[in-house]
Amino acid sequence: MKKVSAITIMILTLFISCKKETTLPPPQIEPSAPKEAELVEPAGDQCYASRLNGNIVALSFNVNSHQEVNGKLSYNLTGKDKNEGTLIGNMKGDTLIADYTFMSEGVSSVREVVFLQKDGTLIEGYGDVVDANDKVSFKDKTKLKFDAKNTLTKVDCPQ
């Protein structure tokens, strides 16, 4: 009886060890075409204006696909000389940061301007400034205040 049990165990061991292992072929990975870079189309000309208590601020600009901004800005404030000039800068998210080069009283000046885009309007930011290298810049853009009284609303661009 012991011999029969031993032979049975040996035969079962032999079958188990000789069992042919089935392996699945590795999955085929199909190459896909590379995704195309998402292009941001230029937004075209955008125009904004504010008319409050005889003060007129007008801004027109264009944003290209690299988020670079160029345009024109003018301030006609009561009791002050009108100044108008060019705007060159960048859109950083919802914020327009640009250098405003303008003529006032026969003198060319450069001043940094910041506008926050919110609900179809632009709100001009203000804060502490420094005058260096013939340019007036904000000391710390993270501390700018955006007051609703400085809001420009979208208007049709003149043809």
Side-chain angles (χ1 to χ4, degrees), residues 82-96:
K82 178 179 180 178
N83 63 61
E84 55 188 2
T86 59
L87 194 74
I88 297 174
N90 292 291
M91 286 300 296
K92 298 195 186 229
D94 60 357
T95 307
L96 165 60

Side-chain angles (χ1 to χ4, degrees), residues 7-149:
I7 292 175
T8 307
I9 291 175
M10 286 183 5
I11 291 174
L12 284 174
T13 305
L14 184 65
F15 278 127
I16 291 172
S17 65
C18 290
K19 181 180 175 184
K20 193 173 193 176
E21 205 171 302
T22 59
T23 57
L24 297 174
Q28 295 296 319
I29 299 173
E30 292 293 321
S32 58
K35 288 185 178 180
E36 296 217 8
E38 189 174 321
L39 297 176
V40 179
E41 289 298 315
D45 287 335
Q46 299 180 49
C47 296
Y48 293 83
S50 168
R51 287 175 177 79
L52 184 65
N53 300 329
N55 296 323
I56 300 171
V57 179
L59 170 63
S60 64
F61 64 94
N62 187 294
V63 181
N64 70 16
S65 61
H66 300 290
Q67 299 302 296
E68 297 166 334
V69 173
N70 64 55
K72 295 180 190 279
L73 176 60
S74 70
Y75 292 91
N76 192 357
L77 308 176
T78 16
K80 295 192 178 191
D81 285 343
K82 178 179 180 178
N83 63 61
E84 55 188 2
T86 59
L87 194 74
I88 297 174
N90 292 291
M91 286 300 296
K92 298 195 186 229
D94 60 357
T95 307
L96 165 60
I97 302 171
D99 286 341
Y100 170 49
T101 304
F102 61 98
M103 291 293 290
S104 180
E105 298 180 6
V107 178
S108 179
S109 303
V110 180
R111 179 171 66 90
E112 183 176 45
V113 293
V114 176
F115 290 91
L116 177 66
Q117 212 168 27
K118 187 174 181 182
D119 300 326
T121 65
L122 288 177
I123 305 169
E124 187 169 7
Y126 63 94
D128 293 335
V129 295
V130 292
D131 190 348
N133 301 326
D134 297 324
K135 177 182 169 183
V136 176
S137 301
F138 291 109
K139 273 186 186 177
D140 185 354
K141 285 189 261 312
T142 62
K143 293 183 179 178
L144 291 179
K145 294 175 177 58
F146 296 91
D147 191 339
K149 70 179 181 180

